[in-house]
Amino acid sequence: MSNPSTSSEGGRRIQAVETTCELLDALRERDGAGVSELTRETGYSKATVHAHLATLLENEFVVKRGNRYEISLKFVDFGEFAKNSVAIHDIAKQEVDKLAEQTGEVAQFMVEEHGRGVYLHKARGKNAIRTASYTGERKDLHCTALGKAILAQFPRERVEEIIDEHGMAAHTENTITTREELFDNLETIRQENVAYDDEEALSGLRCVAAPIVYKNGDIQGAISISGPTSRFKDERFRDELAEVVRGAANVIEVNSTQV
Amino acid sequence: MSNPSTSSEGGRRIQAVETTCELLDALRERDGAGVSELTRETGYSKATVHAHLATLLENEFVVKRGNRYEISLKFVDFGEFAKNSVAIHDIAKQEVDKLAEQTGEVAQFMVEEHGRGVYLHKARGKNAIRTASYTGERKDLHCTALGKAILAQFPRERVEEIIDEHGMAAHTENTITTREELFDNLETIRQENVAYDDEEALSGLRCVAAPIVYKNGDIQGAISISGPTSRFKDERFRDELAEVVRGAANVIEVNSTQV
DNA sequence: GTAGCTGTTTGGTCATTGCGAACAATTAAG
DNA sequence: CTTAATTGTTCGCAATGACCAAACAGCTAC
């Protein structure tokens, strides 16, 4: 039923829109930029860049501060809207907050989009370490517990597509970088209903995640607890925390406004 | 030095980009939409709408779920980025949280952009009422305490421009709808360094706001406390709460990473 | 099975995009 | 203070490509 195909489909494109998207991405990448800077960066002529920015400015997707153009706060509105469009967002947020409170660690909530994982909420308990992830960050799925919990619910063919598009870049020496290893891991995850990240994204960081799945098999996302390896020893890591996360995921599944 | 002119400037525009912006706005307005729906809504041909959406999809600014296109979570990333570009965001957020904790009411933080106010953070204390405002919401400046606190720092000519563009729509019978009244009020605000909203945005709701200003006169935003008229009686409203908000604004001014 | 709704695709034309280059307005250097 | 080197803005022109109309396909419902 759902058709979230990852591969780029055929059909016609609007080049001017393509250009504008590139400019927006460039503005996001850098901390805003001037016309000349963008000209050098993107290869478009100054006149072209200028006209695009003028249009984006008029439509308030961009702000002009002196001679610099920056991503506008309109994106905050749109982003908030998109976040709330995620059916389970509110309940997931609640449960993540509870998880952080209960465990004292970092709890997070992720959803898949365009073949990557998007962090939608993060709560920090009393002993929580500072993780680099931030709300809205988009990260490859193969290298986090959250991502693997999501991938485990996808049909193999879909996972292949995603890897074809985004690869399996290594972040630490523990990162899974071969398909064989990944599919083995995903099978285990399906059996245990929990995904582990043992310093695969960042050394010193461990993570337990549970998928949030509807009865019809549609994957909705995943939640996790993260912390330092020193506090995530085997007993607590594999049993206690795993159970807590699974429980929270279950609460979300039950309470979510289902279709 | 700064050049945040409100009026639309001359120069060339890219029509295709204009079209895409309209489509994005329409997608935001509705809860996502299909091609035919957008065709009716915007007046563009089906082929045009389709091509634009295909381009936006490829650039991941939009998601396709079945046959509906929706604003993507990429906007969350961009929005978060834009929020953090506001120099005083972090410290303001902290102080707003404290305000809510201390007073038990709703505390908020607003910044100006494109002649309107954008809510950037909201915290709810123990007795806080449910206000309709949400993070990212863009609201006319004349009808809230936050907005008026901001307007009070602008030169009169700039305020005139903003009113020319956005008008002074009435939300309650207390809303300020004439320029004379507004400029009188702004003068008082400048003297007291606090702005009041006495059921001007929503009946039953009162609000105290203080502007956040740098030494060079650049206005950075405003923070506020809101609550029911029943709890915001004159003594507490005009003295206690006003002082608390002013104090918090001052903390932000001092602690902000100044230029 | 037909009718009405979707989304997608295809030609063709005219407007428009995008470039080069000149102009203006700052800033940096001498 | 003058010159030089940036920046942003505007203009004219040529070729591209954006837009529409209409045909096609896929789905649902009646």
Side-chain angles (χ1 to χ4, degrees):
Chain A
M1 185 70 24
S2 57
N3 176 29
S5 84
T6 306
S7 51
S8 55
E9 302 173 25
R12 218 178 292 198
R13 302 292 138 89
I14 309 289
Q15 210 169 68
V17 174
E18 176 74 31
T19 303
T20 273
C21 290
E22 277 179 48
L23 289 174
L24 285 173
D25 283 337
L27 281 179
R28 157 69 239 258
E29 198 79 26
R30 314 164 150 272
D31 236 293
V35 174
S36 295
E37 199 174 339
L38 286 175
T39 295
R40 260 167 303 174
E41 186 70 11
T42 63
Y44 295 107
S45 78
K46 275 206 284 185
T48 300
V49 171
H50 186 76
H52 277 267
L53 289 177
T55 312
L56 288 171
L57 182 64
E58 196 160 74
N59 285 275
E60 305 191 352
F61 282 101
V62 137
V63 179
K64 187 176 180 182
R65 206 162 291 155
N67 274 336
R68 291 181 73 76
Y69 292 84
E70 299 179 15
I71 298 295
S72 87
L73 294 172
K74 187 171 187 176
F75 282 88
V76 178
D77 180 44
F78 276 56
E80 211 67 21
F81 171 80
K83 233 194 298 188
N84 291 326
S85 297
V86 175
I88 57 174
H89 176 262
D90 285 348
I91 176 73
K93 187 173 173 181
Q94 276 180 43
E95 288 302 314
V96 163
D97 286 340
K98 273 192 209 164
L99 269 184
E101 173 84 26
Q102 280 172 28
T103 63
E105 307 287 354
V106 171
Q108 286 178 296
F109 167 45
M110 177 182 274
V111 157
E112 181 269 347
E113 190 179 274
H114 285 292
R116 289 199 291 180
V118 185
Y119 291 100
L120 283 193
H121 187 61
K122 172 176 174 177
R124 307 182 63 244
K126 278 189 179 172
N127 306 316
I129 57 170
R130 297 215 156 270
T131 60
S133 65
Y134 56 91
T135 300
E137 185 183 1
R138 302 149 93 227
K139 197 159 188 174
D140 284 346
L141 291 164
H142 73 283
C143 61
T144 68
L146 286 162
K148 292 191 295 180
I150 292 174
L151 283 180
Q153 314 302 317
F154 288 158
R156 181 178 181 117
E157 154 198 76
R158 176 101 185 280
V159 177
E160 297 271 15
E161 270 182 24
I162 290 174
I163 298 176
D164 287 343
E165 191 177 350
H166 298 288
M168 298 180 71
H171 290 80
T172 72
E173 48 189 14
N174 283 12
T175 307
I176 297 178
T177 54
T178 69
R179 295 180 188 227
E180 192 182 0
E181 240 184 309
L182 179 63
F183 283 113
D184 281 356
N185 198 320
L186 295 185
E187 181 56 33
T188 310
I189 293 169
R190 273 187 292 270
Q191 283 165 16
E192 303 181 0
N193 210 32
V194 190
Y196 296 99
D197 159 12
D198 182 13
E199 313 197 4
E200 296 164 32
L202 192 70
S203 57
L205 186 76
R206 279 186 168 173
C207 223
V208 212
I212 303 164
V213 194
Y214 279 0
K215 312 299 173 289
N216 58 9
D218 270 10
I219 173 68
Q220 297 299 313
I223 55 175
S224 72
I225 306 176
S226 315
T229 305
S230 56
R231 276 207 300 271
F232 279 47
K233 302 285 189 191
D234 281 329
E235 324 83 49
R236 189 178 177 229
F237 188 33
R238 303 275 169 187
D239 299 331
E240 185 191 328
L241 291 178
E243 192 48 40
V244 175
V245 177
R246 234 184 330 233
N250 202 265
V251 170
I252 297 172
E253 287 165 355
V254 172
N255 285 356
S256 57
T257 56
Q258 202 151 340
V259 187
Chain B
M1 186 68 29
S2 57
N3 176 28
S5 83
T6 306
S7 51
S8 54
E9 302 173 24
R12 217 180 295 200
R13 302 292 138 87
I14 309 290
Q15 211 170 65
V17 175
E18 176 74 32
T19 304
T20 272
C21 290
E22 278 179 47
L23 289 174
L24 285 172
D25 284 336
L27 282 180
R28 157 70 241 257
E29 197 80 25
R30 314 164 150 272
D31 235 294
V35 174
S36 295
E37 200 174 339
L38 286 175
T39 295
R40 260 167 302 174
E41 187 71 11
T42 63
Y44 294 107
S45 78
K46 276 207 283 185
T48 300
V49 171
H50 185 76
H52 276 268
L53 289 177
T55 312
L56 289 171
L57 181 65
E58 196 159 74
N59 285 275
E60 305 192 353
F61 282 102
V62 137
V63 179
K64 187 176 181 183
R65 204 161 290 156
N67 274 336
R68 292 182 70 76
Y69 292 84
E70 299 179 15
I71 297 295
S72 86
L73 293 171
K74 187 171 187 175
F75 282 88
V76 178
D77 179 45
F78 276 55
E80 210 67 20
F81 172 80
K83 232 195 297 187
N84 290 327
S85 297
V86 175
I88 56 173
H89 175 263
D90 285 347
I91 176 72
K93 187 173 174 181
Q94 275 180 43
E95 288 301 315
V96 164
D97 287 340
K98 273 193 211 165
L99 269 184
E101 173 84 28
Q102 281 173 27
T103 63
E105 308 285 355
V106 171
Q108 285 177 297
F109 167 45
M110 177 182 273
V111 157
E112 180 269 347
E113 189 179 275
H114 284 294
R116 289 199 291 180
V118 185
Y119 290 101
L120 283 194
H121 187 61
K122 172 175 173 176
R124 309 182 61 242
K126 280 191 178 170
N127 306 314
I129 56 171
R130 297 215 157 270
T131 60
S133 65
Y134 56 92
T135 301
E137 184 184 1
R138 302 149 93 227
K139 196 159 189 176
D140 284 346
L141 291 163
H142 72 285
C143 60
T144 68
L146 285 163
K148 293 191 295 180
I150 292 174
L151 282 179
Q153 314 302 319
F154 287 158
R156 180 179 182 117
E157 152 199 76
R158 176 102 186 279
V159 178
E160 298 271 16
E161 269 182 25
I162 290 175
I163 298 176
D164 287 344
E165 191 178 350
H166 298 288
M168 298 180 71
H171 290 80
T172 72
E173 48 188 13
N174 282 13
T175 307
I176 297 178
T177 53
T178 70
R179 296 180 188 228
E180 193 181 1
E181 240 183 311
L182 179 63
F183 283 112
D184 281 357
N185 198 321
L186 295 185
E187 181 55 34
T188 310
I189 293 169
R190 272 188 292 271
Q191 282 166 15
E192 303 182 359
N193 210 30
V194 190
Y196 296 99
D197 159 12
D198 182 13
E199 312 197 5
E200 296 164 32
L202 192 70
S203 57
L205 185 77
R206 279 184 168 174
C207 224
V208 213
I212 302 164
V213 195
Y214 278 0
K215 312 301 172 290
N216 57 9
D218 271 10
I219 173 68
Q220 297 299 315
I223 55 175
S224 72
I225 306 176
S226 316
T229 306
S230 56
R231 276 206 300 269
F232 280 48
K233 303 286 191 190
D234 282 329
E235 323 85 49
R236 189 178 177 229
F237 189 34
R238 303 275 169 185
D239 298 332
E240 184 191 329
L241 292 179
E243 192 48 40
V244 174
V245 177
R246 232 181 335 227
N250 202 266
V251 171
I252 298 172
E253 287 166 355
V254 172
N255 286 356
S256 57
T257 55
Q258 203 153 340
V259 188

